[in-house]
Amino acid sequence: NLTSSTPATFILTGIPGMEQLHVWISIPFCSMYLAALLGNGVLLFTIWTERSLHQPMYLFLSMLAIADLTLSTTAVPKMLAVFWFQAREISFGACLTQMFFLHFTCSAESVILLAMALDRFVAICFPLRYGVVLTPSAVAKTGLAALLRSFCIIFPCIFLLRRLPFCGHNVIPHTYCEHIGIARLACADISVNIWYGLVVPFAVVALDLVLIAVSYGFILLALSRLPSRSARHKAFHTCGSHVCVLFLFYIPAAFTALTQRFGRNIPPEVHILLANLYVLFPPLLNPIVYGVRTQQIRDKVVKVFVCPKSHLLRQ
């Protein structure tokens, strides 16, 4: 009997085979999550309070910080509840909500990274038109486009899951809910889910990567024509942070997605550990990369958090 039905709850097992180590694993995970909250919070507060940082580059960076906070906060608190309190139950609606925001945020981050690449392209290749092209209105429309595109891509996944009959077990061998992990519990053909979950996001992300590569191709061409070595070095330095963030986002995302669907020989605990690190590493490292490599941010962080304290101590 394949009458469509949905379970009241799912059970998240955590990391199968490593249940005895859950408490120990939670310590670095919790530390990374708290550090990510602190780093992105400091970054957002600094950009918000310093008017000199209200420029397209830093506004895109603040969007990235918000996306990072959303990504980690969607997954990590429930993950820690599973590790610490054995709170493994999650309702069907809450599971779909968590799945939606995880995939939605990843898709939105891809658009933001593309926007940051285009920002560097305009700044280096057309510096005199930078203020005309990247107006506050254009930045706001870019953020809205990231939200709308991500919603249109991920929202159908909810209907693809709700149409499935769940007449078997309701145990998800993971620390959080994601599309294919939920679909595999159904007692029906999930080919549509597999192909949609693989083809549509990958096609969209591939388009983003192509546009990013084209942008950096033009950037490299423009840099090769600069007569001054110091000017080339400065331009390379401004692009270096963005390139690091690109690697931090796309490589783990591609590896996690491909191993989930094709890496049948990879132990499940390895896959789940990598999937957990994916929602922790980019939010943790992105503010560090930009904070260390971008002098304007370093200077403003010192001004906002250190100078007022020094002034009070002198008083």
Side-chain angles (χ1 to χ4, degrees):
N1 182 13
L2 295 182
T3 302
S4 179
S5 61
T6 56
T9 60
F10 287 119
I11 305 297
L12 295 169
T13 63
I15 305 176
M18 303 181 72
E19 289 83 1
Q20 301 300 320
L21 300 175
H22 276 177
V23 174
W24 295 104
I25 294 171
S26 69
I27 295 174
F29 281 11
C30 181
S31 301
M32 286 189 285
Y33 176 58
L34 293 176
L37 291 180
L38 177 62
N40 287 284
V42 168
L43 193 64
L44 284 170
F45 183 78
T46 304
I47 294 174
W48 178 265
T49 55
E50 285 296 321
R51 294 185 62 85
S52 61
L53 296 180
H54 293 180
Q55 303 172 25
M57 173 183 174
Y58 302 108
L59 294 177
F60 288 135
L61 182 56
S62 65
M63 292 181 192
L64 184 66
I66 293 172
D68 282 338
L69 288 174
T70 304
L71 176 65
S72 58
T73 302
T74 300
V76 177
K78 181 60 179 178
M79 181 195 309
L80 295 177
V82 172
F83 288 163
W84 290 343
F85 310 114
Q86 304 297 311
R88 298 180 176 181
E89 287 193 358
I90 183 170
S91 69
F92 182 76
C95 194
L96 290 187
T97 302
Q98 186 184 55
M99 178 276 300
F100 172 80
F101 278 104
L102 279 170
H103 298 313
F104 172 86
T105 307
C106 291
S107 177
E109 281 208 34
S110 183
V111 182
I112 295 168
L113 291 173
L114 171 60
M116 295 172 78
L118 295 177
D119 169 80
R120 293 298 84 202
F121 165 72
V122 177
I124 293 173
C125 298
F126 303 99
L128 298 179
R129 295 183 57 82
Y130 184 78
V132 177
V133 175
L134 290 171
T135 61
S137 174
V139 174
K141 289 177 182 178
T142 301
L144 181 61
L147 295 177
L148 289 176
R149 195 193 76 166
S150 302
F151 181 84
C152 293
I153 293 171
I154 305 303
F155 193 66
C157 292
I158 295 178
F159 293 99
L160 290 175
L161 290 172
R162 292 192 67 90
R163 72 182 178 86
L164 294 173
F166 294 88
C167 51
H169 67 85
N170 64 338
V171 177
I172 300 177
H174 212 303
T175 55
Y176 55 79
C177 299
E178 45 84 31
H179 178 214
I180 299 301
I182 301 172
R184 284 176 176 162
L185 299 181
C187 46
D189 182 26
I190 61 169
S191 299
V192 175
N193 295 75
I194 292 174
W195 282 109
Y196 185 90
L198 181 65
V199 173
V200 175
F202 267 66
V204 173
V205 170
L207 176 61
D208 292 343
L209 282 171
V210 169
L211 293 176
I212 290 172
V214 170
S215 298
Y216 271 98
F218 282 113
I219 288 172
L220 291 175
L221 185 62
L223 292 180
S224 66
R225 296 173 179 172
L226 290 177
S228 170
R229 179 176 296 181
S230 61
R232 287 199 299 269
H233 181 268
K234 182 179 179 181
F236 272 120
H237 185 77
T238 60
C239 295
S241 300
H242 183 246
V243 172
C244 291
V245 170
L246 287 174
F247 281 113
L248 287 173
F249 177 77
Y250 284 111
I251 292 179
F255 185 79
T256 300
L258 291 174
T259 54
Q260 182 186 34
R261 290 166 173 81
F262 306 112
R264 300 187 182 277
N265 295 326
I266 298 176
E269 60 270 19
V270 174
H271 163 70
I272 295 172
L273 277 172
L274 291 173
N276 289 335
L277 292 176
Y278 171 65
V279 300
L280 283 165
F281 264 18
L284 171 66
L285 296 178
N286 287 348
I288 296 176
V289 169
Y290 272 96
V292 170
R293 293 184 57 88
T294 308
Q295 183 177 355
Q296 293 93 327
I297 292 178
R298 290 201 309 270
D299 294 343
K300 297 306 179 183
V301 168
V302 171
K303 177 182 176 182
V304 171
F305 291 97
V306 178
C307 292
K309 295 180 181 179
S310 302
H311 178 69
L312 289 175
L313 287 174
R314 285 194 297 269
Q315 286 183 339

